[in-house]
Amino acid sequence: MQTKVLKFGGSSLADAKQFRRVAEIVRTEPSRRYVVASAPGKRFSEDTKVTDMLYDCYHLAAEKKSIDGAFAKIEERYNQIISELGLDFSLQDEFDKIKMSILHHAGRDYIASRGEYLNSMILAEYLGYDFIDAENCIFFFENGVFDSEKTNEATAEILSRHERAVIPGFYGVMPNGTIKTFSRGGSDITGSIVARAVNAGIYENWTDVSGMLMADPRLIDSPKTIDVITYKELRELAYMGATVLHEDAIFPVMEAKIPINIRNTNKPEASGTLIVPTVENDTGSSVVTGIAGKVGFSTITIEKGQMNKVSFISEVLQCLTRHKINIEHVPTGIDTISVVVPTDQLKGKEEEVFASIRRHVSPDAITLNDSIALIAVVGRKMVKSTGTAGRVFKAIGSAGVNIKMIDQGSSELNIIVAVDEKEYITALKAIYSEFVK
Ligand code: ADP
Ligand code: ASP
Ligand code: MG
């Protein structure tokens, strides 16, 4: 019997009713031995996630405002879960300790991490599983980079001594003992770390949709579920906005080739999406696996006649990296290059950055375009089929949308197009209906 590791997201653990569903899922199979829990998420669409409530407390304390009201609401959320589950269990000592730490200006990450810490304690109590604090298993280097080797060794060693356990997601510890979190949605990474450490047969990631869908269900009406997807395709889609799984969550399980199964806590009978290293006998499915997109980009276009391309491009890119601006794409023409960057990273630095580019490469012109959306069309079969790019462009063109940039990854796993933000959803819908009949 191969061990299964399960991660439950915030909406799967948002209230007592959801806790009961989770317990039923866990108890259905004895192989479901290790459970990673998120903080309570939204119970309804206008609700606030506990993680966001904790960030609010941090900001209130930093501004020397009272946290009494805000913190009482957090206590209330947990106490309601405890009482509705009928548990004879109190988190009062933990609440008092955390509140005191916030008032003493504890770190932002420590405060945010308490959402999963407290929720995991309740879940462990409810399931009758051991509680293992992630601060004893998950480690970061001094520079904030995740220490995969030390983490794997420690997690494997600790869990070998526990038959069944709940581990809080989202955080680990720095060499100096302070708590550090992954980026938002990071409990997915913790689940993957635990799966690798116990050499699980499968990592089940339980959420509020029946798997990875071919497009964002908030933008496209009832998109189809993707049955099988490769790690690489998943990463492309996740990075480009399909946030159902954190884009870095595949790394811990990748080497051990452990498959990830995205499942719906509210519909456990659905088989969900299987994320695998490679797909054998790849017949039947569409040439496009999924479509994702993000808004909030700018393009900087730099023109210079008869530029020496190699040094020109490298100088321009260095100007941007020196200003800590991420470079998303670099489409080039004969005498031009465009650099696509996140608008929020460029904001306020435009003049400095342009001056630096002028100093280093003396361009003929620099132009800036804001309000750009990027759409990624991803599919492992694109490499073997012709005409996919043509179909993407035709679909967008027929919808009356102008394409501002095109970039095809050299792996031929994706085609990226840039359009004006105002036309983002129209373009997305056009591509979806071209490939999904
Ligand atoms: P959890 O709290 O369980 O980790 P998330 O909110 O992080 O859940 O991720 C699930 C959500 O991701 C879905 O409710 C859905 O709105 C959103 N989402 C965006 N793109 C996709 C997609 N392509 N497929 C499925 N869900 C998607
Ligand atoms: N609770 C954290 C967040 O809201 C981590 C997670 O849910 O995965 O981002
Ligand atoms: Mg998530």
Side-chain angles (χ1 to χ4, degrees), residues 13-25:
L13 290 166
D15 58 22
K17 186 175 97 234
Q18 293 299 84
F19 266 71
R20 285 195 200 95
R21 288 203 163 124
V22 165
E24 207 176 308
I25 292 167

Side-chain angles (χ1 to χ4, degrees), residues 135-183:
E135 76 169 39
N136 299 318
C137 312
I138 295 181
F139 298 93
F140 293 90
F141 292 112
E142 212 154 331
N143 62 4
V145 171
F146 168 60
D147 183 345
S148 139
E149 250 172 63
K150 184 170 174 190
T151 297
N152 191 47
E153 256 174 49
T155 310
E157 197 280 318
I158 293 177
L159 293 181
S160 71
R161 291 187 272 118
H162 296 267
E163 187 60 26
R164 298 176 182 278
V166 177
I167 305 104
F170 194 34
Y171 69 94
V173 71
M174 294 286 285
N176 67 2
T178 57
I179 295 291
K180 176 172 167 54
T181 63
F182 293 109
S183 58

Side-chain angles (χ1 to χ4, degrees), residues 7-12 38 49 185 188 205-209 211-218 241-245 291:
K7 176 258 171 178
F8 289 92
S11 54
S12 303
S38 285
K49 294 179 177 186
D188 291 330
N205 187 289
W206 292 83
T207 181
D208 61 355
V209 276
M212 180 96 181
L213 306 172
M214 282 191 73
D216 189 331
R218 294 163 295 189
T243 51
V244 64
L245 191 79
I291 304 156

